[in-house]
Amino acid sequence: MATPPLSTAAQTFGERVRAQRHELGLSQEQLADECGLHWTFVGQVERGRRNISLHNILKLADALKIDPAELVRGLQAPSNE
Amino acid sequence: MATPPLSTAAQTFGERVRAQRHELGLSQEQLADECGLHWTFVGQVERGRRNISLHNILKLADALKIDPAELVRGLQAPSNE
Protein backbone atom coordinates (compact mmCIF):
# COMPACT_ATOMS: atom_id res chain seq x y z
CA MET A 1 0.00 0.00 0.00
CA ALA A 2 1.39 3.47 -0.95
CA THR A 3 2.48 5.57 2.00
CA PRO A 4 -0.07 8.35 2.61
CA PRO A 5 0.77 12.00 1.86
CA LEU A 6 2.19 14.15 4.69
CA SER A 7 -0.77 16.53 4.51
CA THR A 8 -3.59 17.68 2.28
CA ALA A 9 -1.43 20.66 1.36
CA ALA A 10 1.56 18.49 0.36
CA GLN A 11 -0.78 16.25 -1.62
CA THR A 12 -2.37 19.16 -3.51
CA PHE A 13 1.04 20.73 -4.13
CA GLY A 14 2.23 17.44 -5.62
CA GLU A 15 -0.84 17.08 -7.80
CA ARG A 16 -0.25 20.59 -9.18
CA VAL A 17 3.40 19.77 -9.97
CA ARG A 18 2.35 16.57 -11.75
CA ALA A 19 -0.43 18.30 -13.72
CA GLN A 20 1.92 21.05 -14.93
CA ARG A 21 4.65 18.51 -15.74
CA HIS A 22 2.17 16.59 -17.90
CA GLU A 23 1.05 19.85 -19.48
CA LEU A 24 4.65 20.37 -20.60
CA GLY A 25 5.01 16.71 -21.65
CA LEU A 26 7.97 16.17 -19.31
CA SER A 27 8.91 12.96 -17.53
CA GLN A 28 9.91 13.08 -13.85
CA GLU A 29 13.53 12.57 -14.93
CA GLN A 30 13.38 15.47 -17.39
CA LEU A 31 11.80 17.77 -14.79
CA ALA A 32 14.38 16.70 -12.21
CA ASP A 33 17.23 17.41 -14.65
CA GLU A 34 15.80 20.85 -15.46
CA CYS A 35 15.78 21.91 -11.83
CA GLY A 36 18.79 20.04 -10.48
CA LEU A 37 16.81 17.77 -8.20
CA HIS A 38 16.86 13.96 -8.06
CA TRP A 39 14.05 12.26 -9.95
CA THR A 40 13.09 10.22 -6.86
CA PHE A 41 12.67 13.51 -4.98
CA VAL A 42 10.33 14.78 -7.72
CA GLY A 43 8.33 11.56 -7.44
CA GLN A 44 8.03 11.94 -3.67
CA VAL A 45 6.94 15.58 -4.03
CA GLU A 46 4.26 14.54 -6.54
CA ARG A 47 2.99 11.88 -4.10
CA GLY A 48 2.74 14.47 -1.33
CA ARG A 49 5.53 12.82 0.63
CA ARG A 50 7.76 15.90 0.96
CA ASN A 51 7.50 19.06 3.08
CA ILE A 52 9.40 20.86 0.36
CA SER A 53 11.59 23.94 1.00
CA LEU A 54 11.14 27.43 -0.46
CA HIS A 55 14.18 27.14 -2.72
CA ASN A 56 13.02 23.78 -4.11
CA ILE A 57 9.50 25.18 -4.66
CA LEU A 58 11.09 27.96 -6.72
CA LYS A 59 13.33 25.55 -8.67
CA LEU A 60 10.30 23.42 -9.57
CA ALA A 61 8.21 26.46 -10.53
CA ASP A 62 11.02 27.77 -12.75
CA ALA A 63 11.37 24.41 -14.53
CA LEU A 64 7.58 24.10 -14.83
CA LYS A 65 7.47 27.63 -16.32
CA ILE A 66 4.84 28.85 -13.87
CA ASP A 67 4.80 31.38 -11.04
CA PRO A 68 5.43 29.70 -7.67
CA ALA A 69 2.21 31.37 -6.46
CA GLU A 70 0.24 28.94 -8.61
CA LEU A 71 1.69 25.95 -6.73
CA VAL A 72 0.72 27.19 -3.24
CA ARG A 73 -2.41 29.27 -3.88
CA GLY A 74 -5.15 28.50 -1.33
CA LEU A 75 -3.28 25.73 0.48
CA GLN A 76 -4.07 25.37 4.17
CA ALA A 77 -1.52 24.68 6.89
CA PRO A 78 -1.82 21.15 8.27
CA SER A 79 -3.69 21.48 11.54
CA ASN A 80 -1.69 18.48 12.90
CA GLU A 81 -3.08 16.06 10.41
CA MET B 1 27.69 42.75 11.02
CA ALA B 2 24.36 40.92 10.35
CA THR B 3 24.67 37.61 8.55
CA PRO B 4 23.54 38.01 4.93
CA PRO B 5 20.29 36.43 3.70
CA LEU B 6 20.43 32.93 2.16
CA SER B 7 19.14 34.22 -1.17
CA THR B 8 17.28 37.10 -2.78
CA ALA B 9 14.16 34.94 -2.65
CA ALA B 10 14.51 34.23 1.09
CA GLN B 11 15.16 37.93 1.68
CA THR B 12 12.08 39.05 -0.28
CA PHE B 13 9.95 36.37 1.38
CA GLY B 14 11.07 37.67 4.78
CA GLU B 15 10.37 41.28 3.85
CA ARG B 16 6.84 40.30 2.82
CA VAL B 17 6.26 38.49 6.14
CA ARG B 18 7.51 41.52 8.06
CA ALA B 19 5.40 43.98 6.03
CA GLN B 20 2.21 41.94 6.53
CA ARG B 21 3.00 41.46 10.25
CA HIS B 22 3.34 45.24 10.63
CA GLU B 23 0.12 45.69 8.65
CA LEU B 24 -1.62 43.59 11.29
CA GLY B 25 0.21 45.34 14.14
CA LEU B 26 1.65 42.10 15.45
CA SER B 27 5.00 41.62 17.19
CA GLN B 28 7.24 38.72 16.19
CA GLU B 29 6.24 36.97 19.43
CA GLN B 30 2.54 37.39 18.70
CA LEU B 31 2.93 36.10 15.13
CA ALA B 32 5.01 33.17 16.39
CA ASP B 33 2.35 32.30 18.98
CA GLU B 34 -0.40 32.45 16.33
CA CYS B 35 1.33 29.94 14.11
CA GLY B 36 3.04 27.74 16.67
CA LEU B 37 6.55 28.68 15.63
CA HIS B 38 9.36 30.02 17.83
CA TRP B 39 9.77 33.79 17.76
CA THR B 40 13.47 33.46 16.96
CA PHE B 41 12.50 31.38 13.91
CA VAL B 42 10.14 34.16 12.78
CA GLY B 43 12.96 36.68 13.19
CA GLN B 44 15.32 34.54 11.10
CA VAL B 45 12.67 34.11 8.38
CA GLU B 46 12.16 37.89 8.28
CA ARG B 47 15.93 38.40 7.90
CA GLY B 48 16.01 35.94 4.98
CA ARG B 49 18.03 33.45 6.99
CA ARG B 50 15.69 30.48 6.55
CA ASN B 51 14.93 28.20 3.59
CA ILE B 52 11.47 27.74 5.03
CA SER B 53 9.34 24.61 4.43
CA LEU B 54 5.95 24.45 2.73
CA HIS B 55 4.09 23.72 5.96
CA ASN B 56 5.72 26.66 7.75
CA ILE B 57 4.96 28.95 4.78
CA LEU B 58 1.31 27.94 5.14
CA LYS B 59 1.31 28.43 8.93
CA LEU B 60 2.73 31.94 8.51
CA ALA B 61 0.27 32.80 5.73
CA ASP B 62 -2.65 31.59 7.87
CA ALA B 63 -1.52 33.69 10.85
CA LEU B 64 -0.86 36.68 8.58
CA LYS B 65 -4.35 36.24 7.07
CA ILE B 66 -3.11 36.20 3.49
CA ASP B 67 -2.99 33.60 0.74
CA PRO B 68 0.41 31.85 0.70
CA ALA B 69 0.60 32.77 -3.02
CA GLU B 70 1.20 36.39 -1.99
CA LEU B 71 4.36 35.41 -0.09
CA VAL B 72 6.02 33.57 -3.00
CA ARG B 73 4.64 35.36 -6.08
CA GLY B 74 7.39 36.11 -8.61
CA LEU B 75 10.28 34.80 -6.51
CA GLN B 76 13.18 33.34 -8.46
CA ALA B 77 15.08 30.20 -7.52
CA PRO B 78 18.58 30.96 -6.24
CA SER B 79 20.91 30.25 -9.13
CA ASN B 80 23.62 29.18 -6.59
CA GLU B 81 23.86 32.61 -5.06
Side-chain angles (χ1 to χ4, degrees), chain A residues 6-7 9-10 13 50-59 62 67-78, chain B residues 6-7 9-10 13 50-59 62 67-78:
Chain A
L6 294 180
S7 64
F13 181 93
R50 284 282 174 164
N51 183 17
I52 187 170
S53 74
L54 175 65
H55 286 173
N56 283 340
I57 290 172
L58 301 180
K59 286 177 189 172
D62 277 359
D67 190 294
E70 300 321 311
L71 291 176
V72 300
R73 179 180 310 289
L75 297 184
Q76 294 293 310
Chain B
L6 295 182
S7 64
F13 181 94
R50 285 282 175 166
N51 183 20
I52 188 170
S53 74
L54 175 63
H55 286 173
N56 284 340
I57 290 171
L58 300 180
K59 287 177 188 172
D62 276 0
D67 190 296
E70 301 319 312
L71 291 175
V72 300
R73 180 182 309 289
L75 298 184
Q76 294 292 311

Side-chain angles (χ1 to χ4, degrees), chain A residues 15-81:
Chain A
E15 288 164 358
R16 291 176 181 173
V17 168
R18 176 168 290 161
Q20 182 63 14
R21 175 170 65 78
H22 286 163
E23 184 78 17
L24 297 177
L26 296 174
S27 66
Q28 286 181 345
E29 290 78 2
Q30 288 168 320
L31 175 57
D33 285 346
E34 285 255 339
C35 48
L37 298 171
H38 198 272
W39 67 274
T40 55
F41 179 85
V42 171
Q44 289 165 345
V45 167
E46 290 191 355
R47 291 191 301 277
R49 294 294 311 150
R50 284 282 174 164
N51 183 17
I52 187 170
S53 74
L54 175 65
H55 286 173
N56 283 340
I57 290 172
L58 301 180
K59 286 177 189 172
L60 279 171
D62 277 359
L64 290 168
K65 304 198 178 10
I66 52 171
D67 190 294
E70 300 321 311
L71 291 176
V72 300
R73 179 180 310 289
L75 297 184
Q76 294 293 310
S79 44
N80 3 41
E81 289 173 3

Side-chain angles (χ1 to χ4, degrees), chain B residues 2-46:
Chain B
T3 24
L6 295 182
S7 64
T8 306
Q11 182 177 4
T12 306
F13 181 94
E15 288 164 357
R16 291 176 180 174
V17 168
R18 174 168 291 161
Q20 181 63 15
R21 174 170 66 77
H22 286 163
E23 185 77 18
L24 298 177
L26 295 174
S27 66
Q28 285 183 346
E29 291 79 1
Q30 288 168 321
L31 176 57
D33 284 347
E34 287 256 338
C35 47
L37 298 170
H38 197 273
W39 68 272
T40 54
F41 180 85
V42 170
Q44 289 164 346
V45 167
E46 290 191 355

